[in-house]
Amino acid sequence: MNIHGTGCGILDCIFADEDFSGPAYQSAMSKKSGDGGLTPGQLVFSDALEKFMGRPYDEVLASLNKSKTPNAWNLGGPSAVSLAHAAQILAGKNAGSKNYAVRFYGVRGCDNAGQTLMEKISSIPFTDIRMIPKEYPHSRVDVLSDPRYNNGAGERTFVIRRGALDEFYPDDLGNDFFNANLIAFGGTALTPRIHNNLTELLQRSRKNGAFTEVNLVYDFQSELENPGKKWKLGKNDDAYPYIDLLAADQEEALKTSGKTGVEEAAAWFIKQGCGAVVITRGRLPLLLYSDPGTAGFFTKTEMTYLPSCEKVDQELADHPERRGDTTGCGDNFTGQVIAELAEVLASGKQNDIDLREICIPAAAAGGFACFIVGGAFYETETGQKRRLLEPYIKAYREQLE
Ligand SMILES: Nc1ncnc2c1ncn2[C@@H]1O[C@H](COP(=O)(O)OP(=O)(O)OP(=O)(O)O)[C@@H](O)[C@H]1O
Ligand SMILES: [Mg+2]
């Protein structure tokens, strides 16, 4: 069972103790959508923020940061983090008869950030990591986190420094990328050349018989070019018929569908030809919807909501010291979706897949990410994350009964 993934793999630089209410942050805050200023919960490109502030980004960052150097560096990006989770979960299963191979395809910059990214990613039990070197700095996300924001609920804002990910072209993937049972594209809005060719890449995956999964990320480039307008998926907004499962958070789903409600959005994606849609909403119940439609992998699931995992919420309330942050909840959710799909496909099932059954462990995995700082978990032994996650999946099933 070959699981191949590509898209955004980025280095997260975490500044964990910022103060959004201070004067420096206040002057950097966005006044209207797409103006390049900071918005809690959202991301901007550093060059857009430079324009907004009229100063080089490094200067802006120095004026903002309470801690002058990052508190931590992490493996980030919706593709790398979701694939990393799937690799960790499936690695624990390779002892059995089914051989799961999880391969990550990306690019890396030739600088310290690229080096750090490689060190982080090398500790994940991927079967193979294909990172094409590029003569650029690696793309970074500065994660600016104010734990006191919103009456202590905490919030983060993200600044992306462009780099090698802008130079990631479809040809970098090579032919063997398409030789897989499941192909996952994650956060491609941050890899513009891949994103623009998403329809063709999905078509090629499909032609080779792969199940195709797409998970979205905030499309700041579209927001910058056409503020407030609908985002596209594929050059002509025509990727949907080649997507077997689409995962998005609420904002991404609304912006990409151009609808105002999640149910309308889910209906629109299915009508465009997606096989299954999952729209996550943080602690609010996630929405799922599937139709045998074009590729026929799924049974029909009417619109269904799944609540968040109570065991996670309870433990966070009882043990505030165990709180990590909510970065990567969606990526871990998707990673578990990929792992569950891999198992179902490995069992020989090519149709009648029950979307709800795929999403149940995934919602527990998304919640579990609340205990981690950043999206990726670095295991001390193979199967550790799987073992730690199991009680949450079990409790979540009980909660649903
Ligand atoms: N506070 C929470 N408590 C329990 N479960 C949560 C919580 N936040 C998220 N989850 C779980 O994780 C899933 C995905 O979260 P969310 O919608 O926040 O993703 P996201 O916005 O894509 O996150 P990211 O892009 O940072 O990975 C949710 O549907 C839910 O099941
Ligand atoms: Mg997300």
Side-chain angles (χ1 to χ4, degrees), residues 126-173:
F126 283 117
T127 309
D128 208 348
I129 303 163
R130 312 268 177 95
M131 302 288 269
I132 308 283
K134 298 278 173 178
E135 291 297 326
Y136 288 85
H138 199 81
S139 311
R140 285 175 49 170
V141 187
D142 291 326
V143 181
L144 308 166
S145 176
D146 178 353
R148 286 161 296 272
Y149 187 79
N150 198 7
N151 296 322
E155 186 51 284
R156 294 145 307 139
T157 181
F158 312 88
V159 185
I160 301 204
R161 303 190 195 212
R162 298 167 189 270
L165 289 181
D166 279 10
E167 303 301 319
F168 185 8
Y169 288 86
D171 280 352
D172 291 323
L173 289 169

mmCIF file of all heavy atoms in Angstrom, residues 126-173:
data_model
loop_
_atom_site.group_PDB
_atom_site.id
_atom_site.type_symbol
_atom_site.label_atom_id
_atom_site.label_comp_id
_atom_site.label_asym_id
_atom_site.label_seq_id
_atom_site.Cartn_x
_atom_site.Cartn_y
_atom_site.Cartn_z
ATOM 1 N N PHE A 126 8.981 8.038 7.781
ATOM 2 C CA PHE A 126 8.601 7.943 6.376
ATOM 3 C C PHE A 126 9.394 6.811 5.728
ATOM 4 O O PHE A 126 10.554 6.578 6.080
ATOM 5 C CB PHE A 126 8.939 9.242 5.633
ATOM 6 C CG PHE A 126 7.974 10.371 5.889
ATOM 7 C CD1 PHE A 126 8.397 11.545 6.497
ATOM 8 C CD2 PHE A 126 6.645 10.257 5.504
ATOM 9 C CE1 PHE A 126 7.517 12.589 6.733
ATOM 10 C CE2 PHE A 126 5.754 11.306 5.733
ATOM 11 C CZ PHE A 126 6.191 12.465 6.345
ATOM 12 N N THR A 127 8.781 6.133 4.772
ATOM 13 C CA THR A 127 9.504 5.125 4.005
ATOM 14 C C THR A 127 10.547 5.826 3.138
ATOM 15 O O THR A 127 11.634 5.314 2.897
ATOM 16 C CB THR A 127 8.515 4.353 3.103
ATOM 17 O OG1 THR A 127 7.439 3.912 3.930
ATOM 18 C CG2 THR A 127 9.176 3.183 2.407
ATOM 19 N N ASP A 128 10.199 7.005 2.681
ATOM 20 C CA ASP A 128 11.096 7.751 1.811
ATOM 21 C C ASP A 128 10.744 9.233 1.888
ATOM 22 O O ASP A 128 9.565 9.583 1.996
ATOM 23 C CB ASP A 128 10.909 7.254 0.372
ATOM 24 C CG ASP A 128 12.178 7.436 -0.439
ATOM 25 O OD1 ASP A 128 13.083 8.139 0.039
ATOM 26 O OD2 ASP A 128 12.244 6.873 -1.544
ATOM 27 N N ILE A 129 11.765 10.069 1.849
ATOM 28 C CA ILE A 129 11.564 11.526 1.842
ATOM 29 C C ILE A 129 12.274 12.049 0.601
ATOM 30 O O ILE A 129 13.492 11.933 0.500
ATOM 31 C CB ILE A 129 12.168 12.167 3.107
ATOM 32 C CG1 ILE A 129 11.551 11.548 4.367
ATOM 33 C CG2 ILE A 129 11.958 13.675 3.117
ATOM 34 C CD1 ILE A 129 12.350 11.806 5.626
ATOM 35 N N ARG A 130 11.513 12.546 -0.349
ATOM 36 C CA ARG A 130 12.134 13.035 -1.598
ATOM 37 C C ARG A 130 12.055 14.552 -1.606
ATOM 38 O O ARG A 130 11.033 15.126 -1.958
ATOM 39 C CB ARG A 130 11.364 12.507 -2.822
ATOM 40 C CG ARG A 130 11.071 11.022 -2.798
ATOM 41 C CD ARG A 130 12.147 10.233 -3.499
ATOM 42 N NE ARG A 130 11.843 8.812 -3.378
ATOM 43 C CZ ARG A 130 11.188 8.114 -4.298
ATOM 44 N NH1 ARG A 130 10.750 8.694 -5.383
ATOM 45 N NH2 ARG A 130 10.972 6.819 -4.122
ATOM 46 N N MET A 131 13.124 15.173 -1.178
ATOM 47 C CA MET A 131 13.151 16.639 -1.103
ATOM 48 C C MET A 131 14.145 17.151 -2.141
ATOM 49 O O MET A 131 15.354 16.973 -1.992
ATOM 50 C CB MET A 131 13.560 17.097 0.292
ATOM 51 C CG MET A 131 12.673 16.584 1.413
ATOM 52 S SD MET A 131 11.073 17.360 1.425
ATOM 53 C CE MET A 131 11.392 18.748 2.505
ATOM 54 N N ILE A 132 13.643 17.810 -3.174
ATOM 55 C CA ILE A 132 14.513 18.338 -4.221
ATOM 56 C C ILE A 132 15.140 19.647 -3.708
ATOM 57 O O ILE A 132 14.415 20.553 -3.296
ATOM 58 C CB ILE A 132 13.699 18.646 -5.506
ATOM 59 C CG1 ILE A 132 12.869 17.432 -5.940
ATOM 60 C CG2 ILE A 132 14.590 19.167 -6.624
ATOM 61 C CD1 ILE A 132 13.621 16.342 -6.626
ATOM 62 N N PRO A 133 16.486 19.731 -3.725
ATOM 63 C CA PRO A 133 17.102 20.971 -3.246
ATOM 64 C C PRO A 133 16.902 22.129 -4.220
ATOM 65 O O PRO A 133 16.922 21.925 -5.427
ATOM 66 C CB PRO A 133 18.593 20.621 -3.136
ATOM 67 C CG PRO A 133 18.789 19.382 -3.908
ATOM 68 C CD PRO A 133 17.472 18.714 -4.124
ATOM 69 N N LYS A 134 16.669 23.305 -3.685
ATOM 70 C CA LYS A 134 16.485 24.511 -4.498
ATOM 71 C C LYS A 134 17.443 25.582 -3.977
ATOM 72 O O LYS A 134 17.617 25.703 -2.761
ATOM 73 C CB LYS A 134 15.038 25.027 -4.374
ATOM 74 C CG LYS A 134 13.984 24.047 -4.873
ATOM 75 C CD LYS A 134 13.853 24.132 -6.370
ATOM 76 C CE LYS A 134 12.947 23.045 -6.916
ATOM 77 N NZ LYS A 134 12.755 23.126 -8.361
ATOM 78 N N GLU A 135 17.989 26.356 -4.894
ATOM 79 C CA GLU A 135 18.948 27.413 -4.508
ATOM 80 C C GLU A 135 18.222 28.637 -3.938
ATOM 81 O O GLU A 135 18.392 29.746 -4.424
ATOM 82 C CB GLU A 135 19.819 27.804 -5.706
ATOM 83 C CG GLU A 135 20.798 26.723 -6.146
ATOM 84 C CD GLU A 135 21.842 26.374 -5.079
ATOM 85 O OE1 GLU A 135 22.247 27.281 -4.326
ATOM 86 O OE2 GLU A 135 22.198 25.185 -4.978
ATOM 87 N N TYR A 136 17.404 28.407 -2.955
ATOM 88 C CA TYR A 136 16.656 29.492 -2.316
ATOM 89 C C TYR A 136 16.644 29.214 -0.827
ATOM 90 O O TYR A 136 16.842 28.079 -0.416
ATOM 91 C CB TYR A 136 15.195 29.495 -2.820
ATOM 92 C CG TYR A 136 15.063 29.982 -4.235
ATOM 93 C CD1 TYR A 136 15.248 29.097 -5.297
ATOM 94 C CD2 TYR A 136 14.780 31.314 -4.504
ATOM 95 C CE1 TYR A 136 15.155 29.541 -6.609
ATOM 96 C CE2 TYR A 136 14.685 31.755 -5.815
ATOM 97 C CZ TYR A 136 14.862 30.868 -6.868
ATOM 98 O OH TYR A 136 14.775 31.322 -8.144
ATOM 99 N N PRO A 137 16.359 30.235 -0.006
ATOM 100 C CA PRO A 137 16.134 29.919 1.407
ATOM 101 C C PRO A 137 14.857 29.088 1.536
ATOM 102 O O PRO A 137 13.977 29.191 0.666
ATOM 103 C CB PRO A 137 15.937 31.296 2.059
ATOM 104 C CG PRO A 137 15.717 32.263 0.960
ATOM 105 C CD PRO A 137 16.220 31.662 -0.311
ATOM 106 N N HIS A 138 14.766 28.280 2.589
ATOM 107 C CA HIS A 138 13.525 27.526 2.740
ATOM 108 C C HIS A 138 12.407 28.446 3.231
ATOM 109 O O HIS A 138 12.655 29.395 3.960
ATOM 110 C CB HIS A 138 13.673 26.317 3.669
ATOM 111 C CG HIS A 138 12.551 25.338 3.427
ATOM 112 N ND1 HIS A 138 12.586 24.439 2.390
ATOM 113 C CD2 HIS A 138 11.338 25.207 4.007
ATOM 114 C CE1 HIS A 138 11.434 23.787 2.364
ATOM 115 N NE2 HIS A 138 10.661 24.228 3.333
ATOM 116 N N SER A 139 11.195 28.155 2.799
ATOM 117 C CA SER A 139 10.045 28.933 3.259
ATOM 118 C C SER A 139 9.845 28.689 4.752
ATOM 119 O O SER A 139 10.026 27.570 5.226
ATOM 120 C CB SER A 139 8.803 28.518 2.485
ATOM 121 O OG SER A 139 9.087 28.519 1.101
ATOM 122 N N ARG A 140 9.494 29.756 5.458
ATOM 123 C CA ARG A 140 9.296 29.677 6.905
ATOM 124 C C ARG A 140 7.970 30.288 7.276
ATOM 125 O O ARG A 140 7.492 31.200 6.620
ATOM 126 C CB ARG A 140 10.349 30.524 7.632
ATOM 127 C CG ARG A 140 11.705 29.981 7.687
ATOM 128 C CD ARG A 140 12.653 30.991 8.322
ATOM 129 N NE ARG A 140 12.163 31.561 9.589
ATOM 130 C CZ ARG A 140 12.919 32.300 10.384
ATOM 131 N NH1 ARG A 140 14.172 32.546 10.087
ATOM 132 N NH2 ARG A 140 12.411 32.805 11.494
ATOM 133 N N VAL A 141 7.417 29.815 8.370
ATOM 134 C CA VAL A 141 6.272 30.506 8.960
ATOM 135 C C VAL A 141 6.680 31.000 10.331
ATOM 136 O O VAL A 141 7.117 30.205 11.163
ATOM 137 C CB VAL A 141 5.049 29.574 9.164
ATOM 138 C CG1 VAL A 141 3.844 30.391 9.629
ATOM 139 C CG2 VAL A 141 4.707 28.838 7.907
ATOM 140 N N ASP A 142 6.578 32.289 10.560
ATOM 141 C CA ASP A 142 6.763 32.800 11.912
ATOM 142 C C ASP A 142 5.402 32.726 12.591
ATOM 143 O O ASP A 142 4.452 33.371 12.169
ATOM 144 C CB ASP A 142 7.316 34.227 11.881
ATOM 145 C CG ASP A 142 8.757 34.247 11.365
ATOM 146 O OD1 ASP A 142 9.489 33.273 11.650
ATOM 147 O OD2 ASP A 142 9.140 35.201 10.666
ATOM 148 N N VAL A 143 5.331 31.867 13.597
ATOM 149 C CA VAL A 143 4.079 31.674 14.331
ATOM 150 C C VAL A 143 4.131 32.578 15.557
ATOM 151 O O VAL A 143 4.924 32.348 16.467
ATOM 152 C CB VAL A 143 3.899 30.201 14.766
ATOM 153 C CG1 VAL A 143 2.593 30.013 15.512
ATOM 154 C CG2 VAL A 143 3.976 29.273 13.564
ATOM 155 N N LEU A 144 3.316 33.623 15.542
ATOM 156 C CA LEU A 144 3.319 34.597 16.629
ATOM 157 C C LEU A 144 2.127 34.287 17.521
ATOM 158 O O LEU A 144 0.981 34.391 17.090
ATOM 159 C CB LEU A 144 3.223 36.019 16.053
ATOM 160 C CG LEU A 144 4.273 36.331 14.966
ATOM 161 C CD1 LEU A 144 3.939 37.599 14.205
ATOM 162 C CD2 LEU A 144 5.663 36.423 15.584
ATOM 163 N N SER A 145 2.425 33.865 18.739
ATOM 164 C CA SER A 145 1.364 33.329 19.589
ATOM 165 C C SER A 145 1.202 34.184 20.849
ATOM 166 O O SER A 145 2.170 34.441 21.567
ATOM 167 C CB SER A 145 1.734 31.886 19.967
ATOM 168 O OG SER A 145 0.787 31.365 20.845
ATOM 169 N N ASP A 146 -0.029 34.627 21.091
ATOM 170 C CA ASP A 146 -0.334 35.387 22.311
ATOM 171 C C ASP A 146 -1.248 34.528 23.179
ATOM 172 O O ASP A 146 -2.455 34.426 22.930
ATOM 173 C CB ASP A 146 -1.028 36.712 21.956
ATOM 174 C CG ASP A 146 -1.420 37.518 23.204
ATOM 175 O OD1 ASP A 146 -1.279 36.984 24.329
ATOM 176 O OD2 ASP A 146 -1.873 38.664 23.047
ATOM 177 N N PRO A 147 -0.681 33.886 24.213
ATOM 178 C CA PRO A 147 -1.492 32.958 25.017
ATOM 179 C C PRO A 147 -2.591 33.661 25.814
ATOM 180 O O PRO A 147 -3.524 33.015 26.283
ATOM 181 C CB PRO A 147 -0.475 32.303 25.952
ATOM 182 C CG PRO A 147 0.731 33.173 25.942
ATOM 183 C CD PRO A 147 0.725 33.956 24.656
ATOM 184 N N ARG A 148 -2.488 34.988 25.975
ATOM 185 C CA ARG A 148 -3.488 35.711 26.774
ATOM 186 C C ARG A 148 -4.618 36.295 25.937
ATOM 187 O O ARG A 148 -5.626 36.761 26.464
ATOM 188 C CB ARG A 148 -2.809 36.840 27.562
ATOM 189 C CG ARG A 148 -1.987 36.337 28.752
ATOM 190 C CD ARG A 148 -0.994 37.367 29.211
ATOM 191 N NE ARG A 148 -0.021 37.635 28.163
ATOM 192 C CZ ARG A 148 1.105 36.954 28.004
ATOM 193 N NH1 ARG A 148 1.421 35.996 28.846
ATOM 194 N NH2 ARG A 148 1.932 37.216 27.020
ATOM 195 N N TYR A 149 -4.457 36.265 24.628
ATOM 196 C CA TYR A 149 -5.446 36.882 23.729
ATOM 197 C C TYR A 149 -6.829 36.251 23.923
ATOM 198 O O TYR A 149 -6.930 35.072 24.283
ATOM 199 C CB TYR A 149 -4.978 36.669 22.281
ATOM 200 C CG TYR A 149 -5.801 37.389 21.231
ATOM 201 C CD1 TYR A 149 -5.631 38.742 20.979
ATOM 202 C CD2 TYR A 149 -6.746 36.688 20.489
ATOM 203 C CE1 TYR A 149 -6.381 39.397 20.024
ATOM 204 C CE2 TYR A 149 -7.504 37.324 19.523
ATOM 205 C CZ TYR A 149 -7.320 38.682 19.293
ATOM 206 O OH TYR A 149 -8.066 39.312 18.342
ATOM 207 N N ASN A 150 -7.875 37.025 23.676
ATOM 208 C CA ASN A 150 -9.245 36.504 23.748
ATOM 209 C C ASN A 150 -9.558 35.917 25.115
ATOM 210 O O ASN A 150 -9.963 34.747 25.233
ATOM 211 C CB ASN A 150 -9.443 35.467 22.623
ATOM 212 C CG ASN A 150 -10.914 35.196 22.333
ATOM 213 O OD1 ASN A 150 -11.788 35.866 22.880
ATOM 214 N ND2 ASN A 150 -11.173 34.216 21.501
ATOM 215 N N ASN A 151 -9.319 36.712 26.165
ATOM 216 C CA ASN A 151 -9.581 36.297 27.553
ATOM 217 C C ASN A 151 -8.896 34.993 27.933
ATOM 218 O O ASN A 151 -9.486 34.141 28.602
ATOM 219 C CB ASN A 151 -11.091 36.143 27.806
ATOM 220 C CG ASN A 151 -11.805 37.470 27.654
ATOM 221 O OD1 ASN A 151 -11.280 38.505 28.043
ATOM 222 N ND2 ASN A 151 -12.987 37.433 27.045
ATOM 223 N N GLY A 152 -7.675 34.831 27.464
ATOM 224 C CA GLY A 152 -6.904 33.653 27.868
ATOM 225 C C GLY A 152 -7.118 32.431 26.995
ATOM 226 O O GLY A 152 -6.502 31.388 27.226
ATOM 227 N N ALA A 153 -7.999 32.520 25.978
ATOM 228 C CA ALA A 153 -8.175 31.370 25.074
ATOM 229 C C ALA A 153 -6.932 31.226 24.197
ATOM 230 O O ALA A 153 -6.575 30.123 23.775
ATOM 231 C CB ALA A 153 -9.421 31.556 24.210
ATOM 232 N N GLY A 154 -6.237 32.347 23.942
ATOM 233 C CA GLY A 154 -5.014 32.298 23.140
ATOM 234 C C GLY A 154 -5.320 32.335 21.655
ATOM 235 O O GLY A 154 -6.364 31.844 21.202
ATOM 236 N N GLU A 155 -4.423 32.945 20.913
ATOM 237 C CA GLU A 155 -4.579 32.957 19.451
ATOM 238 C C GLU A 155 -3.209 33.183 18.829
ATOM 239 O O GLU A 155 -2.278 33.655 19.492
ATOM 240 C CB GLU A 155 -5.585 34.060 19.036
ATOM 241 C CG GLU A 155 -5.952 34.096 17.576
ATOM 242 C CD GLU A 155 -6.400 32.759 16.981
ATOM 243 O OE1 GLU A 155 -5.527 31.898 16.716
ATOM 244 O OE2 GLU A 155 -7.609 32.580 16.756
ATOM 245 N N ARG A 156 -3.098 32.779 17.571
ATOM 246 C CA ARG A 156 -1.834 32.959 16.876
ATOM 247 C C ARG A 156 -2.078 33.704 15.575
ATOM 248 O O ARG A 156 -3.182 33.703 15.035
ATOM 249 C CB ARG A 156 -1.205 31.598 16.554
ATOM 250 C CG ARG A 156 -0.782 30.831 17.797
ATOM 251 C CD ARG A 156 -0.980 29.363 17.600
ATOM 252 N NE ARG A 156 -2.347 29.104 17.174
ATOM 253 C CZ ARG A 156 -2.682 28.230 16.248
ATOM 254 N NH1 ARG A 156 -1.780 27.511 15.651
ATOM 255 N NH2 ARG A 156 -3.945 28.065 15.919
ATOM 256 N N THR A 157 -1.025 34.368 15.097
ATOM 257 C CA THR A 157 -1.073 34.926 13.755
ATOM 258 C C THR A 157 0.211 34.490 13.058
ATOM 259 O O THR A 157 1.218 34.232 13.724
ATOM 260 C CB THR A 157 -1.280 36.458 13.784
ATOM 261 O OG1 THR A 157 -1.340 36.943 12.444
ATOM 262 C CG2 THR A 157 -0.150 37.169 14.511
ATOM 263 N N PHE A 158 0.162 34.323 11.765
ATOM 264 C CA PHE A 158 1.254 33.667 11.057
ATOM 265 C C PHE A 158 1.794 34.559 9.948
ATOM 266 O O PHE A 158 1.020 35.161 9.204
ATOM 267 C CB PHE A 158 0.746 32.373 10.400
ATOM 268 C CG PHE A 158 -0.054 31.499 11.319
ATOM 269 C CD1 PHE A 158 -1.432 31.669 11.450
ATOM 270 C CD2 PHE A 158 0.569 30.500 12.057
ATOM 271 C CE1 PHE A 158 -2.179 30.862 12.306
ATOM 272 C CE2 PHE A 158 -0.172 29.697 12.920
ATOM 273 C CZ PHE A 158 -1.541 29.874 13.047
ATOM 274 N N VAL A 159 3.106 34.627 9.853
ATOM 275 C CA VAL A 159 3.721 35.354 8.738
ATOM 276 C C VAL A 159 4.550 34.363 7.930
ATOM 277 O O VAL A 159 5.439 33.698 8.475
ATOM 278 C CB VAL A 159 4.623 36.498 9.233
ATOM 279 C CG1 VAL A 159 5.135 37.297 8.030
ATOM 280 C CG2 VAL A 159 3.867 37.409 10.195
ATOM 281 N N ILE A 160 4.248 34.281 6.663
ATOM 282 C CA ILE A 160 4.974 33.340 5.806
ATOM 283 C C ILE A 160 6.065 34.071 5.044
ATOM 284 O O ILE A 160 5.807 35.092 4.424
ATOM 285 C CB ILE A 160 4.015 32.684 4.805
ATOM 286 C CG1 ILE A 160 2.927 31.969 5.588
ATOM 287 C CG2 ILE A 160 4.769 31.744 3.879
ATOM 288 C CD1 ILE A 160 2.277 30.873 4.863
ATOM 289 N N ARG A 161 7.273 33.547 5.142
ATOM 290 C CA ARG A 161 8.352 34.060 4.306
ATOM 291 C C ARG A 161 8.452 33.129 3.117
ATOM 292 O O ARG A 161 8.696 31.935 3.279
ATOM 293 C CB ARG A 161 9.673 34.004 5.049
ATOM 294 C CG ARG A 161 9.668 34.751 6.359
ATOM 295 C CD ARG A 161 11.093 34.795 6.813
ATOM 296 N NE ARG A 161 11.185 35.165 8.203
ATOM 297 C CZ ARG A 161 12.219 35.852 8.682
ATOM 298 N NH1 ARG A 161 13.198 36.200 7.902
ATOM 299 N NH2 ARG A 161 12.265 36.150 9.953
ATOM 300 N N ARG A 162 8.253 33.689 1.949
ATOM 301 C CA ARG A 162 8.340 32.873 0.742
ATOM 302 C C ARG A 162 9.757 32.351 0.589
ATOM 303 O O ARG A 162 10.676 32.843 1.200
ATOM 304 C CB ARG A 162 8.010 33.709 -0.490
ATOM 305 C CG ARG A 162 6.621 34.264 -0.507
ATOM 306 C CD ARG A 162 6.568 35.299 -1.610
ATOM 307 N NE ARG A 162 5.357 36.068 -1.601
ATOM 308 C CZ ARG A 162 4.250 35.735 -2.261
ATOM 309 N NH1 ARG A 162 4.173 34.631 -2.951
ATOM 310 N NH2 ARG A 162 3.199 36.526 -2.217
ATOM 311 N N GLY A 163 9.956 31.396 -0.253
ATOM 312 C CA GLY A 163 11.283 30.824 -0.478
ATOM 313 C C GLY A 163 11.142 29.665 -1.431
ATOM 314 O O GLY A 163 10.400 29.751 -2.421
ATOM 315 N N ALA A 164 11.804 28.557 -1.086
ATOM 316 C CA ALA A 164 11.885 27.413 -1.993
ATOM 317 C C ALA A 164 10.509 26.901 -2.435
ATOM 318 O O ALA A 164 10.375 26.380 -3.550
ATOM 319 C CB ALA A 164 12.668 26.295 -1.319
ATOM 320 N N LEU A 165 9.478 27.045 -1.592
ATOM 321 C CA LEU A 165 8.163 26.501 -1.966
ATOM 322 C C LEU A 165 7.602 27.191 -3.222
ATOM 323 O O LEU A 165 6.824 26.600 -3.968
ATOM 324 C CB LEU A 165 7.162 26.630 -0.815
ATOM 325 C CG LEU A 165 7.402 25.716 0.387
ATOM 326 C CD1 LEU A 165 6.326 25.937 1.437
ATOM 327 C CD2 LEU A 165 7.445 24.242 -0.004
ATOM 328 N N ASP A 166 8.019 28.445 -3.458
ATOM 329 C CA ASP A 166 7.594 29.142 -4.675
ATOM 330 C C ASP A 166 8.217 28.508 -5.920
ATOM 331 O O ASP A 166 7.760 28.750 -7.037
ATOM 332 C CB ASP A 166 8.025 30.620 -4.626
ATOM 333 C CG ASP A 166 7.062 31.465 -3.809
ATOM 334 O OD1 ASP A 166 6.190 30.884 -3.138
ATOM 335 O OD2 ASP A 166 7.186 32.703 -3.841
ATOM 336 N N GLU A 167 9.304 27.755 -5.711
ATOM 337 C CA GLU A 167 10.033 27.161 -6.844
ATOM 338 C C GLU A 167 9.757 25.673 -6.985
ATOM 339 O O GLU A 167 10.530 24.947 -7.597
ATOM 340 C CB GLU A 167 11.550 27.385 -6.643
ATOM 341 C CG GLU A 167 11.921 28.837 -6.502
ATOM 342 C CD GLU A 167 11.517 29.660 -7.719
ATOM 343 O OE1 GLU A 167 11.692 29.163 -8.843
ATOM 344 O OE2 GLU A 167 10.993 30.789 -7.528
ATOM 345 N N PHE A 168 8.697 25.227 -6.370
ATOM 346 C CA PHE A 168 8.325 23.803 -6.422
ATOM 347 C C PHE A 168 7.403 23.604 -7.625
ATOM 348 O O PHE A 168 6.276 24.101 -7.644
ATOM 349 C CB PHE A 168 7.623 23.451 -5.103
ATOM 350 C CG PHE A 168 7.261 22.002 -4.910
ATOM 351 C CD1 PHE A 168 7.674 21.011 -5.782
ATOM 352 C CD2 PHE A 168 6.497 21.630 -3.806
ATOM 353 C CE1 PHE A 168 7.341 19.682 -5.578
ATOM 354 C CE2 PHE A 168 6.149 20.307 -3.582
ATOM 355 C CZ PHE A 168 6.572 19.334 -4.474
ATOM 356 N N TYR A 169 7.921 22.898 -8.652
ATOM 357 C CA TYR A 169 7.180 22.712 -9.908
ATOM 358 C C TYR A 169 6.669 21.278 -10.031
ATOM 359 O O TYR A 169 7.281 20.350 -9.486
ATOM 360 C CB TYR A 169 8.098 23.033 -11.099
ATOM 361 C CG TYR A 169 8.392 24.504 -11.236
ATOM 362 C CD1 TYR A 169 9.443 25.081 -10.519
ATOM 363 C CD2 TYR A 169 7.615 25.323 -12.043
ATOM 364 C CE1 TYR A 169 9.710 26.441 -10.614
ATOM 365 C CE2 TYR A 169 7.869 26.682 -12.148
ATOM 366 C CZ TYR A 169 8.917 27.235 -11.435
ATOM 367 O OH TYR A 169 9.167 28.571 -11.523
ATOM 368 N N PRO A 170 5.583 21.077 -10.774
ATOM 369 C CA PRO A 170 5.075 19.722 -10.971
ATOM 370 C C PRO A 170 6.149 18.734 -11.443
ATOM 371 O O PRO A 170 6.170 17.588 -10.994
ATOM 372 C CB PRO A 170 3.986 19.908 -12.039
ATOM 373 C CG PRO A 170 3.466 21.288 -11.789
ATOM 374 C CD PRO A 170 4.681 22.096 -11.374
ATOM 375 N N ASP A 171 7.084 19.186 -12.297
ATOM 376 C CA ASP A 171 8.129 18.277 -12.784
ATOM 377 C C ASP A 171 9.025 17.763 -11.662
ATOM 378 O O ASP A 171 9.652 16.709 -11.804
ATOM 379 C CB ASP A 171 9.003 18.982 -13.836
ATOM 380 C CG ASP A 171 8.312 18.985 -15.198
ATOM 381 O OD1 ASP A 171 7.256 18.314 -15.323
ATOM 382 O OD2 ASP A 171 8.806 19.672 -16.106
ATOM 383 N N ASP A 172 9.119 18.519 -10.565
ATOM 384 C CA ASP A 172 9.937 18.075 -9.437
ATOM 385 C C ASP A 172 9.389 16.784 -8.816
ATOM 386 O O ASP A 172 10.096 16.090 -8.090
ATOM 387 C CB ASP A 172 9.987 19.161 -8.342
ATOM 388 C CG ASP A 172 10.772 20.390 -8.786
ATOM 389 O OD1 ASP A 172 11.782 20.217 -9.492
ATOM 390 O OD2 ASP A 172 10.366 21.514 -8.431
ATOM 391 N N LEU A 173 8.129 16.494 -9.071
ATOM 392 C CA LEU A 173 7.506 15.319 -8.437
ATOM 393 C C LEU A 173 8.020 14.013 -9.039
ATOM 394 O O LEU A 173 8.094 13.007 -8.354
ATOM 395 C CB LEU A 173 5.973 15.391 -8.569
ATOM 396 C CG LEU A 173 5.294 16.462 -7.712
ATOM 397 C CD1 LEU A 173 3.834 16.611 -8.114
ATOM 398 C CD2 LEU A 173 5.408 16.108 -6.236
#
